Amino acid sequence: MTTTEGPRPGDREIVPPRKPPRPWWYWAVAAAVIAFTVYSGRRVGFSLTSLKDLPSNPLWEKFWPPEWDWVFANAIDPLIETFQIAILATLVGCLLALPVSFAMSRLTSHNTYTYFGSKAIMNLIRTIPDLFWAKLFVTAIGIGAFAGTLGLIIFSLSVMVKLFSETIDAADPGPLEAAEAAGGTHIASVKVGVLPEVLPNYVAYALYVFELNIRASVVLGLVGAGGVGRVLEAQRQFFQFDRIMGIVILLFVVVFTLEQISVAIRRRLV
Amino acid sequence: MTAPTEAEVAVVRPRMARSKLVFRYGVTAVIIIGAVWSFTSLDISVERLRTAPGDIWKILRLTVPPDMEGDFVSRVFGKVLESVYIAWVGTMIAALISLPLAFMGAENTAPRWMQLPIRQLFNVIRSFPELILAVLLLPITGLGAWTGTLAIGLHSVGTLGKLSTEAIESIDFGPAEAAQAAGGNRLEAIRWGVLPQVLPTIVAYWLFRFEINVRASAVMGVIGAGGVGSELINQLNFRQFDKAGTVLLFTILVVLFIDTSSAAVRRRIILGGGTSESANTEVFRDLSGLTGPGLT
């Protein structure tokens, strides 16, 4: 055995593996994304100086200190109304979502027409933002909490059916087949074969939708659909920044607390 | 032979535990009380319930056919595009800010004292709805698209940060350990061991957020923070329902277009070019909205 010949490990030149070449469209996509970002930035008035000056704007002083006396005297009742809207909308929206979700799932849908029909309608409804619905309802039936509730019902329904129908899709088909084989009617089979499996998810989603609704209901008043947003809108128009700040802090505390509670319950459920 | 009747076959069902039953009835009672309390104080009379569907139908029918006059259509389309620009720039701002923050908040890439404040920061930011942020920013930055962009950018930092942190925490830490064993420091380990693993997921989250932000920015116009919302409010206030119909039509078309194309890109990023179901399928299912926080 010779020891002088042949390269030793230490002598060898290290050759890193070569990077695979980028596909031809890689740079085209990158360039397009950058170009679109720059163009959009111009269109929305993006400016770094404005970003830099933001914290030092003298107007911020008008926000502080918050006018707490006024806030507690005037914002509490609308805030309660806000939560009533959220509660009612969550409840009605989620109840309506139950049958619609089963119609929208391949597993439990009775026939192709209900499947595609409900899916198309729900997708269409979901493309319109919640505040647009609220504004439409305000126009149709007048200013107030009723319009806001209806708006949020539509919103809850559209979110809930999406989440829940996808859960039903993923459910185990075995029990349903067994129930149908045993001679159950369609609805009865779904009730004993699918519902028990997905019910915990349903409750968890309902809580999640409730969290969404709490946040959404806060701004309903900006279009006249009731709740605490109405107070916010009025003070905004009179440039009462200290009151706005008070309301916003109050909202933050309440929304944050409710959210944490709901998240804790949801974690226990699933 | 006849089938046995119900009386003949004694069906014995499993009983539920007592504590569980109490819990169940308790929750039901709370829900019912909450609903009744809300319903009675919200000034919703039976009379209004009866007439409301008709009134709503009347308005919705008036929006069809939409006003398709050339000038107006191009104005509305421009406004919808402005909403898209707002959403895009806002998402980009949030992406740039949230990416480093997410690494600072994740269990496996940051020291413990750094994680908690960062995570709480995400939670706090998330609790402010975009529109509330815009109401606060409006007097400072003025009416216009820039205010909406900032509000959306800020709010998205919270959600993107939370989702990205979770993505980072669910990785295989082996490559990062290998990088460290080869003498790399923490930053290098993240760059070569973690980032390549999480970037596809995180980019998919960015796109998903962009889809949500398009809807959020459409609403910004309600308070004058740019985008198509102001147009809808004006047309509805002046009761020009055919013009409101145009606004709704273009909003729907653009949102649908962005949703479907973005979802296609997301699928491609997560699943790759092939058709094989990879381990990332689950992540993809999360992206489609099944995990809670992603949707907000």
Side-chain angles (χ1 to χ4, degrees), chain B residues 263-281:
Chain B
V265 175
R266 263 178 15 216
R267 188 189 298 269
R268 165 87 207 207
I269 289 176
I270 294 288
L271 294 179
T275 48
S276 70
E277 299 264 303
S278 66
N280 280 330
T281 322

Side-chain angles (χ1 to χ4, degrees), chain B residues 129-142:
Chain B
E130 293 100 338
L131 267 178
I132 298 287
L133 282 175
V135 166
L136 280 181
L137 285 169
L138 206 56
I140 309 288
T141 48

Side-chain angles (χ1 to χ4, degrees), chain B residues 228-260:
Chain B
V228 70
S230 56
E231 201 68 45
L232 183 78
I233 300 288
N234 285 337
Q235 302 308 339
L236 284 179
N237 281 346
F238 292 119
R239 311 220 134 232
Q240 297 191 310
F241 296 115
D242 52 340
K243 293 198 157 144
T246 320
V247 177
L248 286 177
L249 177 69
F250 279 99
T251 310
I252 291 173
L253 286 181
V254 170
V255 169
L256 273 183
F257 171 72
I258 285 177
D259 273 11
T260 41

Side-chain angles (χ1 to χ4, degrees), chain B residues 52-75:
Chain B
D55 292 341
I56 293 166
W57 180 240
K58 228 184 287 170
I59 297 283
L60 285 181
R61 226 181 34 196
L62 282 172
T63 61
V64 184
D67 181 1
M68 280 305 185
E69 190 251 316
D71 276 358
F72 182 68
V73 165
S74 64
R75 193 175 88 200

Side-chain angles (χ1 to χ4, degrees), chain A residues 37 39 44 46 50-51 57 59 84 91 126 129 131 135 139 141 162-163 205 208 212 232 236 241 256, chain B residues 31 35 37 41 48 85 88 127 131-132 138-140 146 150 215 219 222 237 239 288-290 292 295-296:
Chain A
T37 309
Y39 178 72
V44 300
F46 180 89
S50 145
L51 214 56
N57 195 304
L59 217 58
Q84 290 170 333
L91 202 70
R126 213 180 34 249
L131 269 191
K135 179 67 192 175
T139 315
I141 58 177
K162 172 132 176 63
L163 293 173
Y205 292 150
Y208 171 60
L212 290 185
L232 208 59
R236 196 171 75 79
F241 300 134
F256 190 76
Chain B
I31 291 175
W37 172 63
S41 23
R48 287 186 79 189
Y85 301 142
W88 182 260
S127 306
L131 267 178
I132 298 287
L138 206 56
I140 309 288
W146 179 228
L150 270 181
R215 289 181 178 78
V219 162
V222 165
N237 281 346
R239 311 220 134 232
S288 59
L290 277 169
L295 255 190
T296 60

Side-chain angles (χ1 to χ4, degrees), chain B residues 45-218:
Chain B
S45 64
V46 180
E47 173 64 22
R48 287 186 79 189
L49 269 182
R50 206 172 49 76
T51 54
D55 292 341
I56 293 166
W57 180 240
K58 228 184 287 170
I59 297 283
L60 285 181
R61 226 181 34 196
L62 282 172
T63 61
V64 184
D67 181 1
M68 280 305 185
E69 190 251 316
D71 276 358
F72 182 68
V73 165
S74 64
R75 193 175 88 200
V76 169
F77 193 62
K79 285 277 186 187
V80 178
L81 281 185
E82 190 181 57
S83 288
V84 176
Y85 301 142
I86 292 174
W88 182 260
V89 178
T91 311
M92 283 293 146
I93 293 176
L96 286 181
I97 300 177
S98 69
L99 187 63
L101 284 181
F103 282 100
M104 287 158 73
E107 255 171 14
N108 44 8
T109 55
R112 204 160 176 78
W113 57 267
M114 207 189 251
Q115 291 166 27
L116 257 153
I118 299 280
R119 277 153 181 263
Q120 281 310 318
L121 180 75
F122 291 153
N123 280 339
V124 167
I125 295 177
R126 258 173 349 113
S127 306
F128 285 102
E130 293 100 338
L131 267 178
I132 298 287
L133 282 175
V135 166
L136 280 181
L137 285 169
L138 206 56
I140 309 288
T141 48
L143 289 173
W146 179 228
T147 304
T149 313
L150 270 181
I152 284 183
L154 270 178
H155 177 82
S156 305
V157 168
T159 40
L160 283 182
K162 186 174 160 36
L163 289 173
S164 308
T165 306
E166 281 163 8
I168 293 168
E169 281 172 356
S170 65
I171 59 153
D172 170 15
F173 206 66
E177 265 170 25
Q180 271 173 338
N185 60 28
R186 193 190 278 264
L187 214 63
E188 282 162 344
I190 289 176
R191 167 64 186 88
W192 302 107
V194 182
L195 197 64
Q197 279 188 70
V198 292
L199 208 55
T201 315
I202 290 183
V203 170
Y205 282 144
W206 291 350
L207 276 174
F208 185 51
R209 191 67 218 174
F210 170 59
E211 291 166 39
I212 297 167
N213 281 347
V214 171
R215 289 181 178 78
S217 69

